[in-house]
Amino acid sequence: ALCVMHMQGSPQTMQQNPQYRRHVVEDVRDFLARRWQVLQAAGVSNTRVWLDPGFGFGKSTAHNFALLKHLNAIRVDNLPLLVGLSRKSMLGAVTGGAVDARLVSSVVAATLAMQQGAQIVRVHDVAETVEARKVLQAMMEAE
């Protein structure tokens, strides 16, 4: 499998005043779509590709929350979405919690991502996130 992740800049520069041409959601979607076109041209099957908007990689807190809110809008050709929000600085910016005190906000963020269409979530707190997913799934299956 291949994970195509968006990142603005390099690890050394990505958090130095990240900016986007239009809107972060459109720009990230366009980037992922272009990368998918390259992979298709190289003969890569859509069953091998996952898309990751790259939370925290060249994005401000506002950018990250816009991506989370509009996660479904970055979907390209119905390829599955992978997100990593666990213990991210965006959560600490909102809650004030240190990295090791972001359990609740991480589980909430993962749950919101799953509600917005993420098929894989990278987490630190697996048992708690699985429990949240079960509650979300029960709600989604209710009449």
Side-chain angles (χ1 to χ4, degrees):
L2 302 168
C3 176
V4 178
M5 186 187 86
H6 177 271
M7 180 176 76
Q8 186 182 73
S10 68
Q12 296 78 20
T13 65
M14 66 185 180
Q15 291 308 114
Q16 296 172 0
N17 194 28
Q19 296 182 16
Y20 289 85
R21 291 184 317 259
R22 294 169 295 171
H23 187 275
V24 64
V25 175
E26 293 173 21
D27 287 358
V28 168
R29 186 198 183 285
D30 289 351
F31 170 88
L32 294 171
R34 287 191 308 273
R35 297 295 90 212
W36 170 229
Q37 288 173 347
V38 169
L39 290 170
Q40 282 180 299
V44 176
S45 167
N46 64 346
T47 61
R48 295 185 55 213
V49 178
W50 295 80
L51 302 180
D52 181 347
F55 286 97
F57 289 83
K59 295 159 187 83
S60 68
T61 298
H63 292 143
N64 286 312
F65 279 102
L67 282 169
L68 180 57
K69 182 177 182 178
H70 301 288
L71 193 57
N72 258 326
I74 68 159
R75 188 172 301 283
V76 175
D77 288 347
N78 222 21
L79 293 170
L81 298 174
L82 177 152
V83 300
L85 293 161
S86 187
R87 302 183 188 176
K88 291 281 185 169
S89 62
M90 65 185 269
L91 303 174
V94 171
T95 66
V99 171
D100 61 350
R102 296 181 188 159
L103 169 64
V104 173
S105 58
S106 292
V107 172
V108 169
T111 304
L112 292 170
M114 289 182 283
Q115 188 176 29
Q116 292 296 320
Q119 286 91 346
I120 291 183
V121 290
R122 183 203 52 80
V123 300
H124 293 91
D125 306 291
V126 176
E128 294 85 350
T129 306
V130 168
E131 186 175 328
R133 184 185 181 285
K134 288 177 181 178
V135 172
L136 175 63
Q137 187 170 359
M139 182 202 69
M140 299 297 280
E141 291 173 356
E143 289 184 25

